[in-house]
Amino acid sequence: MHILVTGGAGYIGSVVVEELLAAGHAVTVIDNLSKGHADAVPPEVELIRADLREPTRLRQILREARIEAVVHMAADSLVGESVQRPEKYYNNNMVAGLGLLDAMVEVGVLRLVFSSTAAVYGEPERQPIEETAATRPTNPYGETKLALERALAWYGGAHGLRSASLRYFNAAGASARCGEVHDPETHLIPLVLQVAAGRSPHVTVFGDDYPTPDGTCVRDYVHVVDLARAHVLALDGLERGSCTYNLGCGGAGYSVREVLDVAREVTGAAIPVRVGARRAGDPAVLVASSTRIEKELGWHPRPGALAKIIDSAWSWMRAHPHGYAHN
Ligand SMILES: NC(=O)c1ccc[n+]([C@@H]2O[C@H](COP(=O)([O-])OP(=O)(O)OC[C@H]3O[C@@H](n4cnc5c(N)ncnc54)[C@H](O)[C@@H]3O)[C@@H](O)[C@H]2O)c1
Ligand SMILES: O=c1ccn([C@@H]2O[C@H](COP(=O)(O)OP(=O)(O)O[C@H]3O[C@H](CO)[C@H](O)[C@H](O)[C@H]3O)[C@@H](O)[C@H]2O)c(=O)[nH]1
């Protein structure tokens, strides 16, 4: 198929593009490069530098490139910022998302894989979290992602749009070509590795008084390459209808202190730590049950996860000490 990847110059998007190509699909990327990097897009893929909120351009791209399916990853995705600036998230995640759906329906592109998030669950009552758990987002980021998920269900009924909403837990790691470069960086693993590389003096642990075994937050880190492979499976799965899947590694997850310990083993660096205040909006534990996608689509994240994830990110960082060459 010819697939349009929105946000394909971003961290996860660039790896999804690699996996789609490896599966034999043709790919076009649309990205406004607000956060993405032109160099993250493989040279054989057309990168259209445009904003999703350009409706005429969007329809033209869908028609002229004869797009058959869309992987929609373009979004703003910082939980804290979304609380400070809800309008930015309602605009870019919900309004722009709805504009994309309208363009797709008008042009007759009726297959979509959507990047959703564990943030739709808010503070879940039970771990691991199943897709049937209550969705009660605690920030505008999760709220706007959930709003688009719900719109997808209604557009499906009315217009025959088939969709897969993939609720990612914590994406981490790198492929051989693509790694995580955000400015500012807010994610734990790249921040820890910046300290290991001597670029920052210490990691701040956001709270050590959570009701968890060592007092720090527990998360479910999933290798970005495994995550990307799920998109290929989800596209194939659309033949059977619409669906919603969690994407995590399950198990017990890893606390912030466990992440630090594994990073020390992988890098051989001391990685000094300071304990700071809790970060607003951080649930204590977020661990996925990914049983549904394992059973229905045969997706299996690779075992031995965290050390391999951190090792891949560390290798990429050392090979690309200045990140990407262009934006
Ligand atoms: N990183 C995670 O752990 C995580 C977890 C859950 C969900 N997600 C979701 O996965 C997706 C990708 O996340 P990421 O970490 O790769 O983020 P990212 O910021 O690296 O990538 C997003 C890309 O979208 C582009 N973009 C944003 N708004 C756009 C617009 N209006 N028009 C065109 N391009 C636009 C940005 O330039 C960027 O390249 C997002 O939808 C995010 O909400 C990420
Ligand atoms: O400097 C830091 C950075 C993070 N953390 C902690 O490390 C854990 C992971 O934090 P990240 O910022 O790496 O990731 P989040 O769990 O906050 O966010 C991820 O999960 C969210 C859903 O809950 C969203 O989907 C978001 O896009 C995705 O990156 C959290 O407990 C956080 O408090 C620290 O202690 N210090």
Side-chain angles (χ1 to χ4, degrees), residues 5-23:
V5 180
T6 77
Y11 165 48
I12 305 172
S14 57
V15 184
V16 168
V17 169
E18 287 187 309
E19 290 300 320
L20 290 171
L21 292 175

Side-chain angles (χ1 to χ4, degrees), residues 6-7 12 52 71-79 82 86 89-95 97-98 101 112-121 135 137-153 164-168 231 244:
T6 77
I12 305 172
L52 271 189
V71 178
H72 177 40
M73 313 192 71
D76 287 314
S77 57
L78 300 180
V79 169
S82 80
Y89 285 73
Y90 275 88
N91 190 288
N92 202 23
N93 296 358
M94 208 177 84
V95 177
L98 289 175
L101 303 194
L112 178 82
V113 175
F114 171 53
S115 300
S116 189
T117 168
V120 299
Y121 295 113
T135 44
T138 51
N139 52 66
Y141 169 59
E143 192 78 69
T144 53
K145 289 281 182 177
L146 184 61
L148 205 65
E149 278 196 20
R150 290 196 169 141
L152 286 173
S165 293
L166 303 183
R167 294 174 175 168
Y168 315 159
H231 293 67
T244 301

Side-chain angles (χ1 to χ4, degrees), residues 83-311:
V83 177
Q84 306 302 322
R85 298 181 60 193
E87 62 284 359
K88 184 177 181 195
Y89 285 73
Y90 275 88
N91 190 288
N92 202 23
N93 296 358
M94 208 177 84
V95 177
L98 289 175
L100 172 67
L101 303 194
D102 289 343
M104 289 175 65
V105 167
E106 195 180 306
V107 175
V109 179
L110 295 176
R111 295 189 190 98
L112 178 82
V113 175
F114 171 53
S115 300
S116 189
T117 168
V120 299
Y121 295 113
E123 290 273 1
E125 280 159 16
R126 246 176 284 156
Q127 306 285 343
I129 307 166
E130 296 183 350
E131 290 85 351
T132 48
T135 44
R136 297 193 203 98
T138 51
N139 52 66
Y141 169 59
E143 192 78 69
T144 53
K145 289 281 182 177
L146 184 61
L148 205 65
E149 278 196 20
R150 290 196 169 141
L152 286 173
W154 292 108
Y155 276 62
H159 305 299
L161 179 68
R162 290 190 182 189
S163 62
S165 293
L166 303 183
R167 294 174 175 168
Y168 315 159
F169 282 61
N170 289 59
S175 71
R177 250 195 97 252
C178 302
E180 184 164 14
V181 184
H182 290 124
D183 184 16
E185 188 53 76
T186 62
H187 288 147
L188 179 65
I189 290 177
L191 287 173
V192 164
L193 295 181
Q194 283 173 16
V195 177
R199 286 189 228 151
S200 343
H202 62 266
V203 176
T204 302
V205 174
F206 295 148
D208 66 353
D209 58 351
Y210 283 96
T212 60
D214 67 16
T216 65
C217 288
V218 172
R219 292 289 181 273
D220 188 344
Y221 296 90
V222 54
H223 199 301
V224 68
V225 174
D226 290 334
L227 202 66
R229 288 189 181 137
H231 293 67
V232 178
L233 296 173
L235 269 172
D236 294 343
L238 289 179
E239 296 310 319
R240 287 188 262 157
S242 296
C243 50
T244 301
Y245 294 120
N246 284 341
L247 289 178
C249 292
Y254 293 91
S255 72
V256 174
R257 285 205 188 280
E258 286 172 331
V259 169
L260 283 156
D261 287 341
V262 176
R264 289 185 185 109
E265 275 167 35
V266 168
T267 63
I271 314 185
V273 159
R274 286 194 190 161
V275 176
R278 289 184 179 197
R279 186 172 66 177
D282 269 347
V285 182
L286 284 175
V287 175
S289 160
S290 300
T291 309
R292 183 186 279 179
I293 189 167
E294 290 175 17
K295 279 194 185 146
E296 291 186 10
L297 299 184
W299 179 73
H300 295 288
R302 282 163 292 176
L306 192 62
K308 281 188 190 156
I309 288 172
I310 293 182
D311 188 50

Side-chain angles (χ1 to χ4, degrees), residues 37-82:
H37 309 271
D39 289 356
V41 178
E44 66 267 37
V45 168
E46 185 184 6
L47 164 63
I48 300 171
R49 186 176 180 164
D51 196 286
L52 271 189
R53 292 159 291 192
E54 296 174 44
T56 311
R57 187 95 189 269
L58 198 51
R59 281 166 176 72
Q60 186 193 6
I61 294 164
L62 290 170
R63 272 203 191 95
E64 287 179 3
R66 296 178 186 276
I67 296 297
E68 296 167 273
V70 175
V71 178
H72 177 40
M73 313 192 71
D76 287 314
S77 57
L78 300 180
V79 169
E81 183 188 59
S82 80

